[in-house]
Amino acid sequence: MDKTESFVVIGIGQFGSALCETLVEAGQEVLAIDSNEEVINDLAGSVMRAVIADAQDEEALNDLSIGTFDHVYVSIGKDIEASIMATLIAKDLGAKDVICRAENRNHARVLQRVGADLVVRPEHDLAKRLIFAKLNPSLIDYVHISDDTTIAEVTVVNPRFFNKTLSELDFRNRYQVNVIAIVTKDDQANTLPAGEDRVEKGDRITVLGKTENIQHLNIQHLNEIIGEG
């Protein structure tokens, strides 16, 4: 991150600890909250502030001014009631950005209903990511930006694409995706590609579109005919 922001992490289990560690490494201000004294003592030397408090105690969270922080992470594990109450209290106290960990789909739905700005299911999301990557081997990286929309970086391995312009390849009409960047083999990035820009073997193209269309582009058009030509 280029700037320092303030973060609250409520619930210091494995996920919460990882959040704190990553944020500290990024030079961010972190307030860690947990009811377990031993956990808080372990964190006290690394984060900006570590406090023993009950996530369901509105007065305690208000005294800590969590509503003034840039981001609040509710990373409570199996205590679903505490997770929901902490989320509700954070929003009531004016927190602008509340990100919550959910144990399951129903938990996620309730968190969304009480005002969570983003809900994550780490194990579920990681499993989906691993399988998606395994089934789409030419994908270098990707980000799901909604339930059905993805940005992906794909290696060009299809001989039919070599030395062709974007206009000739016509990604938008043929594959229903938009090319938003081209990175050459020598790492020269074109972040505003035009129709006359060419794609060469080994280039990396970044595409935006429906997830199913990106999968179709990757599997059918980039992988299956590597040996052709």
Side-chain angles (χ1 to χ4, degrees):
M1 295 182 183
D2 294 330
K3 64 177 182 177
T4 299
E5 296 187 344
S6 56
F7 295 78
V8 180
V9 180
I10 303 174
I12 312 301
Q14 288 186 338
F15 185 59
S17 295
L19 287 173
C20 290
E21 181 181 349
T22 303
L23 288 167
V24 168
E25 288 176 352
Q28 304 304 299
E29 298 178 353
V30 180
L31 166 62
I33 300 172
D34 197 280
S35 58
N36 187 316
E37 182 177 0
E38 183 178 350
V39 167
I40 290 300
N41 287 339
D42 287 342
L43 272 180
S46 57
V47 299
M48 177 187 72
R49 189 179 179 193
V51 176
I52 303 168
D54 183 350
Q56 301 181 75
D57 186 338
E58 183 169 0
E59 183 176 351
L61 297 184
N62 186 40
D63 289 344
L64 292 168
S65 301
I66 69 167
T68 66
F69 282 70
D70 294 315
H71 312 280
V72 176
Y73 283 93
V74 180
S75 57
I76 298 170
K78 298 185 182 301
D79 191 341
I80 292 176
E81 181 180 349
S83 166
I84 294 167
M85 285 304 301
T87 302
L88 183 59
I89 292 169
K91 294 306 292 186
D92 284 348
L93 293 177
K96 300 180 291 293
D97 183 35
V98 180
I99 304 98
C100 302
R101 174 189 176 175
E103 286 291 301
N104 53 55
R105 182 178 298 177
N106 288 335
H107 185 196
R109 290 176 62 187
V110 175
L111 289 170
Q112 290 168 339
R113 291 284 181 86
V114 299
D117 297 284
L118 176 66
V119 178
V120 297
R121 295 167 56 193
E123 294 84 359
H124 175 266
D125 295 343
L126 176 59
K128 287 180 64 177
R129 186 176 182 84
L130 289 172
I131 296 302
F132 189 86
K134 190 67 174 178
L135 295 176
N136 298 275
S138 282
L139 290 184
I140 300 168
D141 200 5
Y142 69 93
V143 176
H144 291 312
I145 60 175
S146 73
D147 287 343
D148 62 354
T149 304
T150 296
I151 295 177
E153 187 177 33
V154 186
T155 302
V156 176
V157 295
N158 183 341
R160 295 179 185 176
F161 288 14
F162 300 167
N163 197 31
K164 296 288 182 62
T165 66
L166 293 183
S167 292
E168 291 172 324
L169 293 170
D170 197 12
F171 282 89
R172 182 177 298 178
N173 290 319
R174 289 183 180 177
Y175 314 121
Q176 291 76 55
V177 300
N178 292 303
V179 178
I180 60 176
I182 302 172
V183 179
T184 64
K185 287 181 292 186
D186 56 355
D187 285 330
Q188 297 299 307
N190 179 355
T191 57
L192 291 172
E196 65 271 16
D197 290 321
R198 292 185 179 275
V199 174
E200 303 292 349
K201 179 181 180 180
D203 285 354
R204 306 191 305 274
I205 58 173
T206 302
V207 293
L208 168 66
K210 298 291 185 183
T211 302
E212 62 185 43
N213 292 332
I214 288 176
Q215 287 180 293
H216 183 258
L217 169 70
N218 177 58
I219 294 172
Q220 182 169 335
H221 299 287
L222 295 183
N223 288 334
E224 69 181 10
I225 53 174
I226 293 175
E228 293 186 11

